[in-house]
Amino acid sequence: MEETQGEYYSSSLPESTLSYDGGGRSYFNGQVNRGTAISGLKKRGHGSRSWIKIGEDGNSQTVTLDKATIMRHCSLPSRDLRLLDPMFIYPSTILGREKAIVVNLEQIRCIITSDEVILMNSLDGSVGQYRSELCNRLQNEKADDLPFEFRALELALELTCTSLDSQVKELEMEIYPVLDELASTISTLNLERVRRFKGHLLALTQRVQKVRDEIEHLMDDDGDMAEMCLTEKRRRSDTYTFNDCFQTRVSGRVISKSAPASPERSISGIQMLQRAFSSIGNSSKHGSSMGSSDNGERIEPLEMLLEAYFIVIDNTLNTLLSLKEYIDDTEDFINIKLGNIQNQLIQFELLLTAATLVAAVFASVAGVFGMNFETTVFDYPSGFNWVLIITGIACAALYFALLFYFRYKKVLAA
């Protein structure tokens, strides 16, 4: 593959907009620095960036382009190019325009036309993989029924869905052992690991959900899918241009031939011309009536392509939702387990409180009879011992009565 940083669409630009250095590389200045005393100063939003151009033949080259050049060549508004700006983070988007398809899928940011792909150059592995795989398919594989723009879009969807699915599987392999360990052993370390994985799961779910919603939106809107049929629109545009030229020549010949004739023949010539134009108008009306059926045939390959990858991304989303449900079930199990432990602690605290009450009663009686006061109990040598025995039996009876009451009220387990 050809690797160059050189002139791109230089025929459509004046020579003053190109500057060459000693190494033979060309840069688009776009007259940005004209009228300023500081060389190399760029206006905000008009700086040149590195892009990768991939043609229909599978050859690729690295070029340096500014926004104005891309907007003129692809007939795109500036807000569409802002979606491809790596300085900003936008959700996944696929936009169909008059002459191009703007694709922003994860790290793959490109502009697809009917005969080339302009890919945002980046150090990310997905960009290099997209470039090499697309060039390989265009050079080695036979062209199927899909137009060029559909093949480029298919590869972008394939790499995006594959990347997201691999991330989901990696997360799934990491989080299941942690959840099982947390279910068996509740610790601060395991809880922190699950919290971190849950945040990663939420972010990944949002990315997958956005890709799925974008594909579903395209499938539901036939107009957007029709806008993405760039090859068909270019072919029809060329056909209409040829028909207009042919009709102009025919009308010119009819008028030139009828000019030197008599008034009667000139009137008949004008009538013939009107009939010709009326037949052209009828054919255009017939073509518009058949446009809806032709539109369905044109978008059928794209609809099948989007449906295939919609199933893939929907399966990935279902895996994420199942993983989230497993996390929620584990959290519910942990909450039940913690609630059970809390109930056991409350029961133990209740038993301890009852025992403390009984011990306080026994200590109070022993303290009262341990004071120096006159009573007939002390007339007997073993009188104080009998007081302690009777008090102990009464406290034990009180304790067991409290236990029976708690079990009767189902506060304690039977």
Side-chain angles (χ1 to χ4, degrees), residues 189-251:
L189 179 61
N190 291 335
L191 289 173
E192 178 63 24
R193 293 171 64 186
V194 171
R195 185 191 66 82
R196 186 171 60 252
F197 281 129
K198 191 174 182 180
H200 188 195
L201 174 65
L202 180 60
L204 189 58
T205 303
Q206 291 177 352
R207 291 161 54 192
V208 174
Q209 182 71 46
K210 181 57 183 174
V211 176
R212 179 188 178 277
D213 292 343
E214 191 65 25
I215 297 177
E216 185 179 14
H217 172 72
L218 291 175
M219 293 174 59
D220 293 339
D221 197 336
D222 293 345
D224 289 345
M225 286 192 290
E227 285 290 332
M228 298 171 67
C229 301
L230 304 179
T231 301
E232 182 67 20
K233 288 194 296 184
R234 185 182 64 176
R235 184 184 65 82
R236 293 197 173 191
S237 177
D238 296 340
T239 303
Y240 292 155
T241 303
F242 175 77
N243 290 336
D244 291 341
C245 294
F246 179 75
Q247 292 170 6
T248 303
R249 293 180 180 178
V250 170
S251 61

Side-chain angles (χ1 to χ4, degrees), residues 302-337:
L302 179 59
E303 187 175 7
M304 295 176 61
L305 186 150
L306 293 176
E307 184 178 358
Y309 287 100
F310 176 80
I311 296 175
V312 175
I313 200 67
D314 187 65
N315 185 30
T316 303
L317 182 60
N318 290 333
T319 303
L320 287 173
L321 295 179
S322 300
L323 187 58
K324 185 178 182 300
E325 290 179 358
Y326 190 82
I327 294 177
D328 294 337
D329 293 341
T330 304
E331 290 179 348
D332 294 338
F333 174 75
I334 292 173
N335 292 331
I336 294 173
K337 192 173 182 180

Side-chain angles (χ1 to χ4, degrees), residues 65-108:
L65 302 174
D66 57 3
K67 281 188 176 181
T69 304
I70 299 177
M71 289 167 58
R72 286 195 303 268
H73 175 68
C74 302
S75 300
L76 293 176
S78 59
R79 64 176 179 273
D80 290 346
L81 291 182
R82 198 174 297 116
L83 297 175
L84 308 180
D85 196 337
M87 300 298 295
F88 302 97
I89 300 177
Y90 290 98
S92 298
T93 308
I94 302 176
L95 300 177
R97 295 297 184 244
E98 182 66 25
K99 294 184 179 180
I101 302 174
V102 181
V103 178
N104 178 20
L105 293 175
E106 295 294 318
Q107 301 300 326
I108 300 177

Side-chain angles (χ1 to χ4, degrees), residues 98 134 181 243 368 371:
E98 182 66 25
L134 182 59
E181 184 179 358
N243 290 336
V368 169
M371 294 181 182

Side-chain angles (χ1 to χ4, degrees), residues 16-33:
S16 60
T17 60
L18 298 175
S19 63
Y20 295 84
D21 60 359
R25 296 183 300 177
S26 63
Y27 299 89
F28 285 86
N29 294 330
Q31 297 180 353
V32 170
N33 301 331

